[in-house]
Structure formats: C-alpha cells, structure tokens
Amino acid sequence: MLTHLDLAIYRFSDEPLPRIPPQTLQSLKLHLGNIPFSWSLFQATDDGRVAFDRLEHLSITYDTQTTAPTSWCWTRAHLPRLASLCVSSCRFTSSDARWLLDHSPLVRINLIRSLEPAFDLFPHNLSSLQELKMSYIDSTDDLHFIDRTNHVFRLSLGIPNVRCELFSCKAIASTMLDWPNLTQLKIHHLEYLAPLLVATPNMPHLCVLEARFSKSDVELDAREPELLFALDEAQFKLSTSRLEKLSLDFDDAQYTSVFTDRLVALQKYFPRLHSISWI
C-alpha cells in the first residue's frame, strides 16, 4: 500500500505516465520544474475528483528560476485530512487559499522563498492554524520587505506559533518595523547584534531569537562595543519584552570570547530571558 510519495517532474514525457492511486497516500512531496501541474497524474473518481482520503502532509516545490502556475485548480482535489502544507517558490491564488482553508483542517503552513503566498492567505479565516512559518525570505528591497512583513505579522493574530527565518535582513533596525505576532525569529548572516535586540519591542510576542554571524562581517568588532549602551538607551521599552531564549552562532571563536561578558549582562534588560547560548 502506497503511503508516502516523493515525485519529481521536470519535463513532459512523450509516453503517458501511469495514473497514481491517491486514496492511501499520507504524505506527498512534489518537485516541479517549469511545467504546469495537473491533477490528472492521479486516478480520479467518476465525478472527476482526486480523492486524497488519507493525505496529511503536502509539499510543493518549484525551481527558484521558474514561474509558478496561476492556479492549481484545488477544487479537483479532495483533501479532508490535510494538516500540513509546505509551498516553495510557488504562489497560489486567493481563491486557492480560500478553498484550502475551507475544505482542509490545516494546522501548519510553511512558505519558502517568497512572501507573496502569505498575502493570499489573508484576510481568510486562519483560526485553525497552529503554526505559520516563512523561510528564506528575500529582503533585498528593504522598504518592500518591511511593508510586506508588517502586513503578514499584523494579520497573523491568533496563530500560536508564527516563525520567520531570514538569510539576511539589514532592515531589522528600522523604526518602521512592526511584527506584533511573530513568536520565533532566526537570522543568518547578521551584521550587528545591538540593532536587532533594540528592535525587539517591535516584536512584542517574540519568545525565541536565533542569530548567526558570518566571518565576512568584518565590522562586527567595531560596532558591538556599543551593545550595552544601546540597550541602556532602550531599557524602558525592553522591559516588556517576552524574549525567553537567545541563541547565537558566531562562526568564529574570537567573537565568542569578546561577547561572553556582554551576553551574561543581557538578563538585566530582558526580564523573561532564561536561556542564553552561544557557539
């Protein structure tokens, strides 16, 4: 009995592919190139529906250099048990989002490499979600990035776990930043720690913060003596922070020794902070 399927399709075949029985699948991963997807890959019922009666986990990944289809025709798919959806480099329409949320008991959504699908989720009812995660977001255009993320994190009210993973974010220090419902943040290639910590009042529900510094961040030593001074300036605002766990990866032993004393002093500024770790 077929319960898990990992399917990669990067070009059309001249020969017709055998129809895949969907009824027993519990997990389905689709890796697609620059081709339109069709539910006709799967066996359909007499009324034309593709009945994924047991499917709980669905992952859809497109090549980062390709253009995703405008519509997935979700109305053909019967997904009564779908709990987890992961979408990478693929945008689904507002009508797709509405149909999925109305017809599937989704509790987890993971959006990778693009913020745009998040806009199609709102303002639909997301009360059933337990987790919304956005990863690998491109923040090259700072103003565009701030506008989009502010929109998403303002409207994600009521979702217990709202997570974001960034591979760079120079906009993190902006006073325009407003991420009220974000609970976990992970940043790679962080340049400066002080602006990030001072920005936490703009993330009032943030509980977990992870940051990784790169060896190429040559200005790190020059800026970080300002760390405690910057926190002193913002101490009143920081007193309401919910930050509980801070994890830092310096990628270089010399930074670890430089920061040790300063990190221990952080509990003065973050009253709920009980876990600090660094590598």
Side-chain angles (χ1 to χ4, degrees), residues 22 28 37 39 42-44 48-53 55 58 72-80 82 99-100 103-104:
L28 174 61
F37 175 76
W39 294 110
F42 300 90
Q43 294 175 0
R49 292 188 309 160
V50 180
F52 293 97
D53 295 331
L55 192 68
L58 175 60
W72 274 73
C73 298
W74 289 102
T75 53
R76 285 202 61 197
H78 180 59
L79 300 159
L82 185 64
W99 191 93
L100 277 170
H103 294 83
S104 301

Side-chain angles (χ1 to χ4, degrees), residues 11 19 22 33 55 72 88 94 109 139 183 206 217 222 248 264 267 279:
R11 63 181 178 85
R19 297 286 191 271
L55 192 68
W72 274 73
S88 178
S94 182
I109 295 180
S139 61
T183 60
L206 186 70
D217 298 328
L248 303 175
V264 171
Q267 288 179 306
I279 303 175

Side-chain angles (χ1 to χ4, degrees), residues 163-188:
R163 304 167 61 189
C164 183
E165 182 175 7
L166 308 175
F167 269 75
S168 66
C169 187
K170 294 182 179 180
I172 199 71
S174 172
T175 57
M176 298 167 57
L177 210 65
D178 183 19
W179 297 351
N181 299 302
L182 183 67
T183 60
Q184 296 187 45
L185 175 63
K186 184 174 184 178
I187 300 181
H188 302 259

